Amino acid sequence: MRTAVRPSRPRAFFASLRLSLLLFLADPQWVIPATIAPVIFGFAAFELYSGSGATLVLYAILGAGMMSMWGQTLYGAGWATSQDRELGTLEPTLSAPTSYLWVVFGRIVVNAVTGLVGGLVVFAVVSLAYPHPLPLQRPFEFLLLFAFVLVTLASVGLVLSAVYVYTRYAGFINNFGEFGFYIITGSMFPVVLLPFWTSPIALLLPPTWALDALRYASLPGYVGFRWGFVGDLVGAVATMLVYLTIAGSVYHRVETHVLTVGNLQEY
Amino acid sequence: MAVPAISVEQLTRVYSSRKGFLFNEVTRTEALRGVDLEVAPGELFGLLGPNGAGKTTLAKILSTLLLPTSGRAHVLGLDVVREANRIRPRIGLVLGGERGLYYRVSGRENLRYFADLYGIARSEREPRITEMLERVGLGDSGDRRVEEYSRGMKQKLHLARGLLHAPELLFLDEPTIGLDPKSARETRKFVRALLAEGVTIFLTTHYMFEAEELCQRIAVLSKGKIVATDTVPGLRRLVGGDRTFEIDGYGFEDSELARVRALPGVSRLVTEEFGPRLRITLRVQDPQLELDRVAQCLLGHPELEVRERRTALEDIYLDLVEEEPA
């Protein structure tokens, strides 16, 4: 019996998205990154900033939410590929007639969305615990930008995931990258408080710009980068496009490299 | 003339590995050293070889999972390096063992994922998955999580996945390794059915009886080189006959062994020690040569145990692999 076979990138993307979601929910550990960790981040932020005024509380919430989202995105980029190596599914997946880039992209999106849920949990927890209403300036824009930050995170995750296909030391890179990014992108502290030499690095990362735009949209009287909200958006889109272009070109080379080295089964 | 399903010319593959931190020491291992072979469409071709001979390396290059270092390989008339994306939808790969499956989801969900990666038409996807699960004998357990499967069931799921997109050429790497005899027999039956449907099969295995039972032609790979390719009768002729004599006894003299070796029709003589006992194995070409004539050369040994049997593929394999110089 002949079967009509027409590989397509969207099919691969949605197949990966669906499988990632099923695997995520099948592992009871999902409760920790998706709910428990954000609640802890939320309470920590609340305790630290509750006496400092509503704006600072909101600032802290955003940081905690970003940490949750970034952690999950990086997890999606790195651990999914490591898991494929560990399970021995990297070879059959790469032997399918679809670019692995789309498979990874699906996984990153699932993990980033779970991170988004985590970020919203943080927001909900602190909103309920804080006795005063939080001064969210433009709620609609806030939600849109929240999702946009997620896309910028995914673009960085996509580039990093190429490295994870290349090497089996994804866990090490994950752990190193997670905390470095919290600091560099301004999730934890405003970038302006960091040493001057970190600024160029921060500006190379799309989430830095997107996060600043998000703060402009949500915090009353926020003073971030001098180019303002629109400049932030332009910077975020531009850097994100650079990352997506890099991911597209790097992936083909990485796939060729792993087929040359022959280390797909190592983990 | 039909395009060969597989055509390989002077294929080599070298693995490089690095050791050390600051001063890397590069170790090069030649896994394949100039392999030539051709597989016809609709053929069941077997590849035999000891561990580390390069079987899996060759199967992975042909299934586009590894790039060769030099030489050429064509699968279904397409170049494995330059046209891998056109080869992939047309071939199936079944790697044996426990790994290679998403064990936290069901067998059906595993197949659904790969059906989507291969782009099987949505209208055909579910019927095809159900059909494959039933064909491999997982019809009742397709909705169970893979972590609940036995090894045999996992192997069946591997097979179902490899065949899901109805490939023209199937690579089977040790498909019955670790299976109980009943499951292994079912798998072999399944492989024969695929062959009857016109699927070309490239089988790598350690099991001689399996290769002998299934394969139309067999190549023996040793230390990265093909040392022989033929049908089983052809390989028998190559190693010197389809009859094998085994003589067990004690204290044979070199002169006695030389007399046996000089008998007309004896093409090969191998001795093996089992403690104090010695076994002489003879490969015999001449149909006139009788066991009695061999025993006459060893008259001083009344305790002789002498038997005749058909030369098995295992004998051929060992002859070929042991003859191959390092």
Side-chain angles (χ1 to χ4, degrees):
Chain A
M1 177 191 155
R2 295 248 55 82
T3 298
V5 173
R6 275 180 224 92
S8 86
R9 290 166 175 177
R11 280 282 298 276
F13 169 75
F14 285 111
S16 170
L17 199 137
R18 179 188 157 84
L19 182 75
S20 304
L21 195 61
L22 289 172
L23 290 171
F24 183 73
L25 295 173
D27 183 352
Q29 290 189 77
W30 71 271
V31 175
I32 297 172
T35 57
I36 296 174
V39 168
I40 292 170
F41 283 150
F43 274 120
F46 174 73
E47 287 300 327
L48 285 170
Y49 293 94
S50 59
S52 314
T55 304
L56 257 182
V57 169
L58 195 56
Y59 186 95
I61 295 171
L62 289 178
M66 283 308 114
M67 284 163 72
S68 174
M69 281 165 67
W70 176 240
Q72 278 295 97
T73 308
L74 201 63
Y75 173 88
W79 182 240
T81 304
S82 295
Q83 195 185 30
D84 262 340
R85 277 184 187 278
E86 191 177 333
L87 293 173
T89 43
L90 196 53
E91 282 194 329
T93 306
L94 280 177
S95 73
T98 316
S99 171
Y100 191 61
L101 174 71
W102 293 88
V103 174
V104 171
F105 192 40
R107 290 176 182 172
I108 289 174
V109 169
V110 166
N111 282 281
V113 168
T114 58
L116 179 68
V117 172
L120 294 174
V121 168
V122 173
F123 185 77
V125 165
V126 181
S127 301
L128 289 172
Y130 194 63
H132 311 290
L134 290 171
L136 200 54
Q137 249 192 172
R138 290 170 275 181
F140 181 68
E141 281 178 31
F142 170 80
L143 280 175
L144 272 184
L145 279 163
F146 214 85
F148 177 65
V149 172
L150 184 130
V151 176
T152 63
L153 290 172
S155 71
V156 181
L158 209 54
V159 174
L160 283 174
S161 67
V163 181
Y164 299 142
V165 178
Y166 185 85
T167 176
R168 55 181 160 159
Y169 299 112
F172 168 76
I173 300 169
N174 248 9
N175 290 334
F176 177 77
E178 191 169 358
F179 292 100
F181 267 76
Y182 290 160
I183 298 166
I184 291 286
T185 57
S187 295
M188 291 173 107
F189 323 99
V191 173
V192 289
L193 294 180
L194 297 172
F196 75 95
W197 57 266
T198 60
S199 294
I201 304 170
L203 295 178
L204 289 174
L205 298 162
T208 308
W209 302 74
L211 193 53
D212 201 56
L214 181 68
R215 285 181 174 141
Y216 266 118
S218 50
L219 301 174
Y222 175 72
V223 181
F225 294 136
R226 64 175 182 275
W227 42 79
F229 175 72
V230 176
D232 276 343
L233 283 184
V234 171
V237 170
T239 48
M240 189 178 70
L241 288 176
V242 169
Y243 273 73
L244 291 176
T245 309
I246 291 171
S249 62
V250 161
Y251 248 90
H252 179 68
R253 288 183 196 182
V254 166
E255 278 185 27
T256 306
H257 178 82
V258 291
L259 297 184
T260 307
V261 175
N263 66 349
L264 292 174
Q265 279 204 320
E266 293 171 1
Y267 66 94
Chain B
M1 197 182 130
V3 176
I6 296 172
S7 162
V8 173
E9 287 171 58
Q10 285 300 301
L11 200 72
T12 69
R13 169 70 209 195
V14 178
Y15 289 102
S16 298
S17 58
R18 289 170 187 276
K19 274 195 296 189
F21 182 64
L22 282 178
F23 304 101
N24 276 339
E25 182 191 328
V26 181
T27 312
R28 287 162 57 84
T29 310
E30 281 188 291
L32 296 176
R33 300 185 296 149
V35 169
D36 294 288
L37 65 84
E38 199 165 289
V39 178
E43 185 179 7
L44 201 167
F45 187 89
L47 184 65
L48 295 179
N51 289 335
K55 298 187 300 296
T56 301
T57 297
L58 181 55
K60 284 188 179 174
I61 288 174
L62 295 175
S63 54
T64 74
L65 279 177
L66 200 59
L67 292 173
T69 305
S70 68
R72 280 185 294 180
H74 287 82
V75 169
L76 303 168
L78 301 164
D79 187 285
V80 293
V81 178
R82 287 180 286 111
E83 297 171 294
N85 284 338
R86 290 176 63 197
I87 293 174
R88 287 175 183 168
R90 296 173 64 189
I91 62 168
L93 173 67
V94 178
L95 299 169
E98 298 260 4
R99 298 175 71 221
L101 298 164
Y102 295 100
Y103 60 86
R104 282 193 188 272
V105 294
S106 69
R108 185 180 291 279
E109 207 55 68
N110 269 272
L111 295 185
R112 204 169 273 147
Y113 173 63
F114 282 97
D116 286 340
L117 290 192
Y118 276 87
I120 292 174
R122 281 188 194 280
S123 57
E124 287 182 30
R125 188 181 68 179
E126 295 308 312
R128 181 73 183 159
I129 290 171
T130 305
E131 180 199 336
M132 289 319 303
L133 285 170
E134 278 168 10
R135 270 198 82 175
V136 299
L138 292 175
D140 295 332
S141 35
D143 293 317
R144 278 166 56 194
R145 277 188 179 195
V146 173
E147 63 193 354
E148 296 168 18
Y149 283 17
S150 66
R151 178 159 187 151
M153 290 164 80
K154 284 178 188 156
Q155 191 60 38
K156 286 173 180 175
L157 189 60
H158 276 295
L159 259 178
R161 183 179 61 194
L163 292 164
L164 196 60
H165 56 293
E168 296 161 57
L169 169 61
L170 183 66
F171 291 92
L172 289 174
D173 190 17
E174 311 279 359
T176 57
I177 198 163
L179 295 188
D180 62 66
K182 186 170 175 283
S183 301
R185 187 187 290 175
E186 283 170 6
T187 304
R188 287 195 291 274
K189 194 175 158 192
F190 189 68
V191 170
R192 271 194 294 271
L194 290 173
L195 191 67
E197 289 169 21
V199 178
T200 307
I201 298 170
F202 186 90
L203 171 79
T204 60
T205 182
H206 271 116
Y207 298 136
M208 301 298 146
F209 68 94
E210 186 168 280
E212 193 165 3
E213 187 186 321
L214 291 173
C215 299
Q216 292 154 336
R217 283 194 310 141
I218 290 169
V220 179
L221 190 66
S222 178
K223 300 188 181 88
K225 291 189 91 168
I226 301 273
V227 292
T229 309
D230 213 325
T231 58
V232 176
L235 289 174
R236 276 200 190 97
R237 282 194 296 278
L238 187 73
V239 298
D242 63 356
R243 295 162 74 208
T244 295
F245 294 169
E246 279 179 356
I247 303 147
D248 289 356
Y250 298 89
F252 297 122
E253 302 287 338
D254 286 347
S255 58
E256 291 172 317
L257 295 178
R259 274 205 300 278
V260 173
R261 190 178 277 119
L263 283 170
V266 171
S267 61
R268 185 179 163 86
L269 183 150
V270 181
T271 57
E272 288 173 278
E273 283 181 21
F274 296 94
R277 196 159 57 91
L278 194 72
R279 173 174 293 168
I280 305 169
T281 305
L282 300 178
R283 211 71 75 222
V284 179
Q285 277 175 321
D286 185 354
Q288 305 300 319
L289 182 64
E290 300 295 334
L291 268 176
D292 290 350
R293 281 190 64 197
V294 179
Q296 278 167 15
C297 300
L298 306 165
L299 281 175
H301 302 273
E303 74 291 355
L304 282 185
E305 255 183 57
V306 189
R307 339 177 249 285
E308 181 183 351
R309 60 176 171 78
R310 193 168 187 225
T311 303
L313 183 59
E314 188 168 337
D315 301 314
I316 300 167
Y317 169 82
L318 289 173
D319 286 358
L320 290 168
V321 169
E322 283 166 8
E323 269 177 9
E324 174 65 8

